[in-house]
Every structure is written in C-alpha cells, then in structure tokens.
C-alpha cells in the first residue's frame, strides 16, 4: 500500500493537467505541516487505517476523546459548558487532516476560518449564558458541491470549480443553528457514480483500501469513519448518502425529497427534474440523524422556499403496537454477496422471534423495470451535458461515468420521449404504491447494495438504492456491527445468475479481498414516513444487536 | 338568441362530422323528453337564462327548493333525515337537463343510474340509521375528462372519446364518502383554453349568452350557475377551475397541486410534468369548498397514492390576529376591464378600514416572465401531440387552441431545452418566494382575469390565473355580488397600453356587451396554505359585502 499521493486521478489534456496540479497543490498546502504524517508511515499503510489517528501521536488524549463523541453528545456537552466550540472544531479539524492523508477525502480545508467562527460562538455562550442554536458549536463536514461562502466548490468536473460567493440555503440555516464548517469533501466526477474518483483523486475505504469509500458522498464516508467528523452533509439521488454510509459502517438517511432545503446546491444539469435530489445527514449514531433533522425542521425553511414540502420529521411512538417489518433478501435482479446475506439471515432470525415485530417476507415489485427507468431519467439528454462539461475542462471521462451515460441505458430524448419516460416513471410509482400497500409493511429491511463496499471501479449496480429514489421513499442505512470475514463469508458453491448484472456481481466476489468491510443494512419506508423510518430503525437495530 | 342546437361546434373531415353527429344524438337522446323545453322558448331566449328553471314550469316547488340548497345544506338535511338522496338527485338531475338545453353544458347524462345509487343510499340510511359517509347523497357533477366507470369520457379531442372502464381514484373516494354522480360536463378541445368549445358544442354563460362560461371546466360553471348542480369537480392547470367560477359567479378553489388525488384522470400528454394539474371543487357557497376538502382529507388517499402530499387542509382560527392582505390591482401586463377595477376599488376601501385587516399594496413580481414560462411549459413539444390527437380524429383545431400552441410562445424542445425551461421555472419560483416573503402577505387579493367573462373566442390572457399554477400557490375565486353595469362601468377615457396583450384586452371592452356579468375576485396564498386561504376568504368576503 502506497501513499495517497500516488493514487490515480482523472486524466485530461495539458491545460487540465496543469490546472489539476495547481488544485492539488492548493489542497496539499492547506493541510498544516504540523499535522503531516511521516512518509515512513504513508509508504507502508495497513489495509485498515482507522486506528492510525489514535496511534500516530498527533492528537492529544482530549482530542481523541472529543472526536470519539457523536454529534448529539457534542451539542449536549457544549450546551452544558463542558466543552468549547474551539476545542471541538480543533479536534475534528486535526483528525480530518490525518484522515485526508490516509483516504484522500477532502477538497477544501479551512480550520482557521472555523476556529474564528467557533471563538465567536464561545464568546456568545459566555456572554449570553446560552447556546446560539441547537447545533451550537457542532462542526459539520460538507460535500464538495454544496456551496459555502468563500470556499471551493464543484460538481467534480474541473470546469465547474469555483469559489462560492454565497452560502446555499442549507448552509445558511445550519449556520443560524450554530453549526461550524471546516472542511469540504470529495465526490466522483459529476457526482454520478457510487465511487469517488475525481480530479482530486480517489477516496479510499478506511477499513480496507482495496475497497471504495462509496459515492457520490464518498469523502464524507471516509472522513466520518476516520472520526474526522461527527456530522456530514450529503446529497442522494441514487444512493449517494447511503452507499458511502453503508460502505464505511455509518448511519445515513436519504429523506423524502424536498423536505429539506437544497436551494443553491450546485449541479451539472439544472432543471433535469425527473428524479429529485435529496439531502441529508451522515452520522456515527442513529440518534444523530434525528438531531440533524429536528434542528433543520425547527428553522421553518419552507416559508422562504416554496419548493419545500413542510412535513416535519415527526418520530412516532411505536411502543404500543407491533411493527410490521418486511424483509427482502434480494431484489430478483442481483443476489448480494455472502456478507450481506449473512447479516440479513441473522436479522431475520432475531426479528422473527421479537415480540414487538411482525416479520413478513417482502417480495420486490419489478425492480429491474424501476432501475432501468431511473437510469434513463438521470441522463435524459443521453449524457450530452456531461460531455460538454468534460470538454470545457479538457477532462477525460472516468470509466464508471462513461458506463452510466452510455446506451442502451440512456438516450437523447426529444420532448415526447421525455414525457413518455416520465409517464413510465409515474405508472411505476403508482404500481409500487399499490404493491407496498397490499404487502402492508411499515418498513422494509433490505440490502444496501449488491455487497459490502466494492472493489474500485466495480460499483455498477445501484438498483438497491436508486429504486427508492425513483419512488422517493425515504431510506436509511445502518451498521450491523458485523464485518466481512473470509472464514465465514465463503464463495457460494452453486450460482444461477438472475441477470447479467448478477453474473457480473458474482464474478467480483473473493472473500479475501473484502476482509474487514463493514456490513450494513438498509431500511425503507413509504414516502413522507421519515419519522416512522427513524423510529423503526431504532427498534430493529436493538433487536439485531441483542 | 337562438337555440343551442344551432351553436357552432368544432369542424372536421367527413368521418369526424359523422361521428360527432352520433355523439350529439346520443347526448340529446339522454335528456328525457319530459324535460324538454319548448322550441318557442328556445328560439327566443333572453341574454340571461338563469331565471328559466324557475319560470319554465318543469320543476316542482320542492325541486326548486332543493336545488336552491348548497352542498353543505344538502348533506346536513340528508343526514338529519329531512331529505332523501333520491329526491335530491332527482331535483338536481332535472334542473341539469334544463340547464343543458340553455347553455350546452353537459357531455353525459345518467340520472337513472344516479337514482338507483341514491335509492341504495336511502335504503342504507333507513337500515343503519346513519349516513354512509360525510357526502351521503350529495350529487356531484364531473368534468368530462375525469373517468367514471361506464360513462363517456374524453379530453375533448374526439379521438380520445371512450366509455371509462373504471372509476379514477377521486371518483372512487367520493363514492366511498357517499357522493352520487349523474352528469358529466363540457370542457374545450384539449382542455387547454379558458373557453369551452369542443365537438360537443359551445357552452354559454347563463348570465349573458354573448359571453363564455369560461374554461376549461366551463360546463361546470354554467351548470352550477343554473343550479343544476351544487358541487362540481374540476381541474386547473392554468385557471380551469377559477375562470369558469369567476365568469359564472361561483366559488372555486385550485388547491396546491398533489394534495388531492388525480390518479386516473385522462389527459392528452401524460408525463408532461412541468406544471402540475390540480383538482378541486366548484361551488355555490364558500363553506362548500371546505366541506369538499375536509371530506377528501378524511379519506387518507395518500396511503394508496404516493404521488400525493399528505398535508391536510387545516383551516386556522384567525380571530386573534390581524390578517395581512396584499391587494394587487393589476399585474403590470394587462389592466383589467372597468368592472373588475370597480370591485377592487370597493374592496380596497372597505378592507382598508377593517379593524382585523392590515391592507398593503402588493407589487407583482415580473408576471410577464412567469406567464411566458408557463405558456412554453404547457406545450414542451410545440404542440405536436395536440396535432396528432386532432389528426387521429379528423378534427380541425379551434382558433384559441391554435393560438395557445403556436410560436413564439411554444417550441419543440429537445432534452436540454426542457431542462433549461424547467430551470427558468425553478428560478422564477425561488425569486417569487423571496418577493412574497419580503411583502409579508398572508394572502393577495387580485383580479381573477383581465375582465369578467369574456366575449366568445377572446380569452387569450391567462396571466392572472396561470401565474399561480406556475408557482403552485393555491388560489380561489369568489363572487363580489356585483355585476357588470354599462351605466357605471364606462369605457375609460385615456389608455396607455402596458403590453400588446393589454392593447388587445382593452380593445375588447364595450360596456353594453358585458351587461349582467358577475364580478368576481381572486384570493391567493403561499403554497400549502390552502387552509389559511379559506379562512382569509371568509373574513374578506364578509368585509367586502358589509
């Protein structure tokens, strides 16, 4: 294993190469020299680098203790005066610098700005004797394409790289709640793959550098797993919050779209509204998802943004009734790798005997059709705008993005074609509502993907995640606490592929390569049932981990 | 004034003409011979035909009394056992037959089926001692393109005419609440003009047959004004509920889109989702709008249709605070005709001294830009699908539809063009949210159109209505109780046109021609503030009519 500076980046023409060199120099120069890991370490990294922040000697005991906290604990301790905002952001900022050197997860680093902001908050707290807002002093790491005033921002086409002139709505709201920003994080070229390769480099999975951190919010995945952050802000239109959270053993929710503000987020094809992009938190505890959502709800963003749907995330009390949990082992398109199936089998056994749960076998409704519809909907122009962005930057396309925008899954539609496609989408949604209602589930427990974190350049099957984006059903992932283990998760003896994607996915599996990968599960609820989803997750995780 | 049978219809080729002849014969034969008005009357109709149902001698005193009731009173009386469902629907059904002969408002008539359904409800009430649902026995008239099992249905292209094989969701839900269906009503060719001319004929305004009943839910407008119905079901994507209600002196609300079920409604371009079609009630009292919305909310339709947004229409108590009412006299594009300006001036005077109201001048935000965006969005294919439907039926296009689909307002877009257009729409919506918030209005009182009901073939300016569809802000219209009066509403002495549309609109005005036209106003609220809108309307109407 070699240093991340030798990892592949996206290639391009001479102008591109020169500019990328400047960008990478800028980023490297932002990491304080006092926080540089020695090359002796970087040149001989283990597969699993999650222990290095503790062992490297760059962080104090107190800093290690702070970065062990989840966001809810951070907010509580600051509100009680047990912790300052400056100490908090300093600890996370230092650890983020270390995380970046091990996983290439950052795109911008501005701890100095953050500390100044933290100092103002500490002053306020001292002066007023109360917090500025519910997220007072909480450091939040932010995906690259979400604009923060004065910070670098792109959709990971070099042609889109610029310093943002203003905060987007979400950032403005989080600031008004007391949050602090200190880093921005990687995403793949165009933000449209479940990996994380861009002109900034390739983001690695901290638990196993053979594997991807996931995408598109991959930098957050790696950073949070390294505890260089306790709260990340991502976006998800096809799995981009959930894939990296699942890959890196985190909690992450893709809320029902348009319930949280995305006004001002940069994008590469504005107005392509066939699928809505959702935004949400990526966390190290289940309760942190609630902390984030409740704080945002309290800001009443819908008043100033009529695109938002003002349905607050109300978490119901489920103690007085049985929870109806559907379990879906696979989607009839791709059979997940053995580690995922093992976790589902354990979950099934435990849930089936839990007194407060009624477990039912959930039969997927034509997911292949749905996945094909959403793939076509992502690129209604057959990827022309992607190519224009690439051309503008002299940038070569990455193999996975090339695959995503290519026929037969996409085509360049005329107006009639777009209307027909959206009608197919609407019919599928109607059919799915009916199907789910007949099943009568509160929630469905299912794989978060066709395996744990995948090998680099192999994450081609988004079906387990994107299907819920097409339906706009909120989905979350959570860690089971289990990890891929070559001694248990052996290659299956017989295999009858259900599809070409299944054949491909099966061919990728080699137990030795996936060692140590966190095993996560996904939970999904009906549209607008985000609160129910969170309540159900708590119950289900408790049973599974009992 | 001559009989409606001599009114113009849409023309076409020989096959079209033959089929239309059959269709009109079918419809004529559905009207019971016992309810036919004498030709001596039909050949010598007054401009205002609203008094004929009472004077013609075909309805009993009891039937006239029943048809004077609003929907809320009908439901109350039936629930108390003071009225039977059979008597109710018989009365409205008979009056509808008369209304149709005077205004050409129906497309299907099935009183026999309705009476059988009413009998079942009466039997239920007798047997169970309670109502079947909150709308038990309420006859509801339904716009042509909304499918009722076994009844004729079209989007008013002849090529789309067929008998529906099943109820759409809304009809199924209304049935489950106890409603009865007995007639379907006219709309214009393609449902896309603010008038009502189709292969079924031309629908007249009952108050003045020189004028249009409005569109696209024009048949409902005429039928309700004739008291041939007390509750109509319409759709609105550019004013189609509000225009006919305003033209015919009725109450009608275009709710925030996707808060009421439209699954199963027929349409001519499925998947053209740039503007959402809303659906809602058309009524003869303000309270009937609430009765309808509360009943539908109680059915929990969102559970079985994930496209719905489960925000119930909660009507707030405004007695403890001042209502902030913006008043907009014109939209800086077209100055309304004198009757509308007179009503606004009276409203302004009264509202400005009302103790519970804070009246502010509302400045419109670039309505011309918004109107151009929505016009282009309606026909993203430049009207190609419209022409295909016409060709399929051998049908000639009506002048107003031709105007609506023609350049420069529409064009045939490619994918990039559609995305760019939708991005313009989204930016306009964002800008408008900001603008409204700075104004800080609860509601805005404004014209419902560029005048009262217009002369036939002249309703070209939709801006006062369509702008709120583009924004998806709920809007309602209500009658002021005033009518156009040539002695007061004289031609203005000087006129400086603000736009070509303004010039055109001004050229149409001749006080004598509009005599007797009801003068209505429109009230609008922020998206999802439907309940606030209803509460505010009640207060404002009371002040205006004090």
């Amino acid at each position: 294993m070699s240093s991340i500076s030798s990892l592949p980046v996206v290639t391009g023409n001479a102008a591109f190469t020169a500019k990328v060199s400047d960008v990478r120099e800028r980023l490297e120069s932002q990491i304080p020299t006092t926080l540089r890991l020695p090359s002796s370490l970087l040149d001989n990294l283990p597969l699993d680098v999650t222990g290095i922040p503790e062992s490297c000697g760059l962080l104090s005991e107190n800093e290690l203790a702070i970065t062990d906290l989840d966001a809810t604990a951070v907010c509580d301790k600051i509100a009680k005066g047990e912790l300052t905002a400056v100490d908090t952001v300093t600890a996370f900022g230092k650890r983020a610098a270390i995380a970046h050197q091990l996983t290439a997860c950052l795109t911008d680093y501005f701890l100095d700005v953050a500390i100044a902001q933290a100092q103002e908050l500490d002053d306020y707290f001292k002066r007023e004797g109360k917090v500025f807002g519910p997220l007072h002093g909480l450091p939040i790491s932010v995906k690259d394409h979400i604009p923060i005033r004065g910070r670098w921002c792109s959709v990971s086409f070099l042609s889109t790289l610029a310093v943002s002139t203003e905060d987007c709505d979400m950032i403005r709201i989080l600031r008004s709640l007391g949050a602090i920003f200190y880093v921005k994080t990687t995403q793949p070229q165009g933000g449209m793959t479940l990996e994380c390769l861009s002109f900034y480099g390739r983001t690695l999975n901290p638990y196993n550098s053979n594997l991807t951190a996931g995408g598109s919010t991959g930098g957050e995945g790696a950073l949070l797993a390294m505890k260089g952050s306790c709260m990340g802000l991502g976006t998800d239109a096809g799995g981009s919050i959930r894939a990296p959270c699942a890959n890196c053993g985190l909690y992450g929710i893709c809320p029902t779209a348009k319930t949280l503000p995305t006004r001002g987020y940069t994008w590469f094809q504005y107005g392509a509204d066939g699928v809505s992009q959702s935004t949400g938190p990526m966390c190290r505890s289940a309760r942190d998802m609630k902390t984030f959502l409740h704080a945002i709800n309290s800001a009443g963003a819908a008043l100033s943004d009529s695109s938002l749907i003002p349905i607050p995330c109300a978490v119901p009390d489920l103690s007085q009734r049985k929870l109806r949990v559907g379990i879906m082992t696979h989607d009839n398109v791709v059979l997940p790798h053995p580690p995922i199936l093992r976790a589902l089998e354990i979950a099934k056994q435990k849930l089936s005997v839990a007194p407060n749960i009624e477990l039912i076998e959930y039969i997927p409704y034509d997911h292949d059709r749905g996945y094909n519809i959403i793939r076509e909907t992502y690129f209604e122009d057959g990827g022309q705008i992607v190519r224009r962005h690439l051309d503008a930057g002299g940038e070569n396309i990455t193999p996975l993005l090339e695959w995503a925008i290519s026929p037969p899954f996409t085509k360049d539609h005329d107006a009639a074609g777009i209307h027909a496609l959206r009608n197919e989408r609407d019919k599928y949604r109607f059919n799915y509502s009916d199907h789910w209602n007949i099943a009568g589930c509160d929630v469905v427990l299912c794989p978060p993907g066709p395996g744990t974190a995948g090998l680099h350049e192999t994450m081609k099957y988004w079906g387990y995640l994107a299907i819920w984006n097409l339906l706009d059903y909120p989905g979350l992932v959570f860690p089971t606490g289990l990890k891929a283990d070559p001694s248990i998760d052996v290659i299956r003896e017989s295999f009858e592929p259900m599809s070409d994607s299944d054949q491909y996915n099966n061919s990728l599996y080699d137990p030795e390569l996936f060692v140590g990968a966190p095993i996560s599960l996904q939970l999904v609820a009906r549209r607008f049932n985000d609160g129910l989803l969170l309540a159900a997750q708590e119950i289900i995780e408790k049973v599974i981990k009992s």
Side-chain angles (χ1 to χ4, degrees), chain A:
Chain A
M1 173 68 213
S2 61
S3 154
I4 60 160
S5 62
S6 65
L7 286 173
V9 291
V10 175
T11 57
N13 65 19
F16 172 87
T17 307
K19 194 165 174 195
V20 166
S21 168
D22 290 349
V23 168
R24 288 167 66 92
E25 253 174 52
R26 181 264 298 164
L27 180 58
E28 211 172 311
S29 73
Q30 289 178 308
I31 306 296
T33 49
T34 52
L35 294 172
R36 299 280 166 94
L37 293 169
S39 59
S40 57
L41 175 66
L42 291 175
D43 291 342
N44 294 284
L45 291 174
L47 272 186
D48 179 344
V49 298
T50 55
I52 292 176
E54 284 191 47
S55 63
C56 69
L58 290 172
L59 300 174
S60 69
E61 283 303 311
N62 190 41
E63 286 162 348
L64 289 171
I66 290 171
T67 50
D68 261 345
L69 300 173
D70 70 355
T72 309
V74 164
C75 293
D76 284 353
K77 281 183 180 289
I78 292 179
K80 285 183 187 149
E82 296 169 12
L83 201 61
T84 67
V86 167
D87 284 352
T88 304
V89 75
T90 303
F92 280 106
K94 288 175 74 176
R95 193 155 177 158
I98 296 166
H100 176 62
Q101 294 170 74
L102 299 166
T103 62
C105 57
L106 302 183
T107 63
D108 199 355
Y109 185 89
F110 41 103
L111 184 56
D112 49 346
V113 179
I115 288 173
Q117 195 193 340
Q119 188 60 59
E120 283 178 29
L121 287 163
D122 285 338
D123 293 347
Y124 178 94
F125 186 78
K126 203 176 260 176
R127 195 171 66 240
E128 307 286 337
K130 61 175 185 184
V131 292
F132 184 72
L135 304 182
H136 183 115
L138 180 69
I140 297 184
S141 47
V142 176
K143 188 179 187 178
D144 188 20
H145 78 110
I146 301 174
I148 299 175
R149 189 182 56 244
R151 306 313 321 174
W152 290 101
C153 180
S154 83
V155 292
S156 292
F157 293 120
L158 185 66
S159 57
T160 64
L161 182 66
V163 171
S164 302
T165 54
E166 53 186 319
D167 288 341
C168 60
D169 279 13
M170 175 63 100
I171 294 297
R172 188 178 46 71
I173 290 165
L174 288 170
R175 262 193 221 284
S176 76
L177 300 170
I180 298 173
F181 309 104
Y182 63 116
V183 290
K184 294 190 73 179
T185 59
T186 55
Q187 65 205 5
Q189 189 181 63
M192 285 304 289
T193 59
L194 293 187
E195 299 217 1
C196 217
L197 176 62
S198 75
F199 62 83
Y200 280 112
R202 182 194 293 293
T203 306
L204 304 178
N205 191 306
Y207 289 99
N208 180 335
S209 55
N210 290 330
L211 308 178
T212 176
S216 68
T217 323
E220 289 297 332
L223 179 65
L224 283 152
M226 294 296 294
K227 301 186 182 173
S229 171
C230 62
M231 178 65 78
L233 176 62
T235 51
D236 191 322
S240 289
I241 284 173
R242 290 161 294 154
C245 284
N247 287 7
C248 298
L250 303 166
Y251 296 80
I253 181 168
C254 174
T256 303
K258 299 189 182 296
T259 60
L260 295 178
T262 57
R263 176 176 177 169
Y265 282 20
T266 61
W267 194 230
F268 71 88
Q269 50 176 358
Y270 295 108
D273 57 359
V275 182
S276 294
Q277 188 175 64
S278 182
T279 189
M282 299 169 67
C283 318
R284 299 211 321 261
S285 71
R287 65 179 185 168
D288 280 1
M289 296 188 284
K290 294 178 206 164
T291 295
F292 182 92
L293 294 173
H294 287 159
I296 297 294
N297 285 164
S298 73
L303 195 67
S304 60
D305 174 0
S306 69
S307 75
L308 291 179
I309 299 169
I311 296 182
C313 178
V315 180
D317 174 15
L318 296 175
S319 62
Q320 300 307 308
R321 69 170 178 103
K322 273 204 176 196
L323 185 68
R324 267 180 77 89
V325 179
I327 190 162
M328 181 183 92
T329 308
H330 65 79
D331 65 359
N332 284 332
V333 186
V334 172
L335 189 69
H337 288 169
I340 298 287
L341 295 180
R342 171 162 63 93
L344 277 167
E345 187 53 38
I346 291 170
K348 196 169 173 178
Q349 284 170 17
K350 293 193 173 177
L351 291 168
S352 66
V353 295
N356 53 342
I357 285 171
E358 185 184 345
L359 191 69
I360 50 179
E361 199 78 41
Y362 181 77
I363 311 295
Y365 173 76
D366 212 350
H367 282 206
D368 198 35
R369 173 177 151 212
Y371 183 45
N372 286 336
I373 291 170
I374 198 169
R375 287 193 64 180
E376 200 173 329
T377 306
Y378 287 135
F379 302 101
E380 288 173 326
D381 68 349
Q384 287 191 72
I385 196 164
V386 166
R387 296 192 193 278
R388 278 200 296 276
H389 281 298
L390 292 168
D391 286 350
E395 180 168 354
N396 295 330
I397 196 165
T398 57
L400 280 180
L401 185 56
E402 176 84 61
W403 167 84
I405 67 170
S406 294
F409 296 109
T410 73
K411 53 187 144 204
D412 186 12
H413 287 283
D414 61 7
I418 288 180
H419 295 166
L421 178 59
R422 296 194 178 195
N423 187 38
E424 285 307 304
R425 175 201 65 188
D426 293 347
K427 284 196 284 187
Y428 185 75
R429 286 174 173 170
F430 282 138
N431 293 343
Y432 212 105
S433 286
D434 288 343
H435 176 81
W436 183 296
N437 285 332
I438 290 166
C441 305
D442 289 311
V443 289
V444 169
L445 185 69
C446 58
T452 60
L455 301 165
H456 297 295
E457 297 299 315
T458 66
M459 297 284 282
K460 287 190 182 175
Y461 189 67
W462 314 3
Y464 281 105
L465 298 160
I467 196 76
W468 309 118
N469 296 90
L470 180 70
L471 296 167
D472 195 20
Y473 289 9
L476 61 76
V477 298
F478 62 98
T480 59
L482 305 169
K483 298 205 169 174
D485 181 343
S487 70
I488 315 173
D489 302 316
V490 297
I491 292 182
R492 35 201 162 218
E493 283 171 15
S494 72
F495 178 74
E496 286 290 330
M498 297 182 282
S499 64
D500 289 350
S501 298
D502 198 21
Q503 178 95 53
Y504 174 73
N505 186 58
N506 188 61
S507 75
L508 300 171
Y509 190 64
D510 173 346
E512 300 298 333
L513 292 177
F514 293 89
V515 60
I519 307 178
S520 301
L521 291 176
Q522 184 177 203
L523 195 68
V524 180
R526 282 187 185 96
R527 192 168 181 229
F528 296 116
N529 281 257
D530 303 56
L532 172 66
L533 180 65
L534 289 166
Q537 189 277 335
E538 194 180 336
I539 292 171
I540 290 169
E541 183 175 12
K542 202 168 159 191
V543 172
I544 292 179
K545 293 189 174 167
S546 66

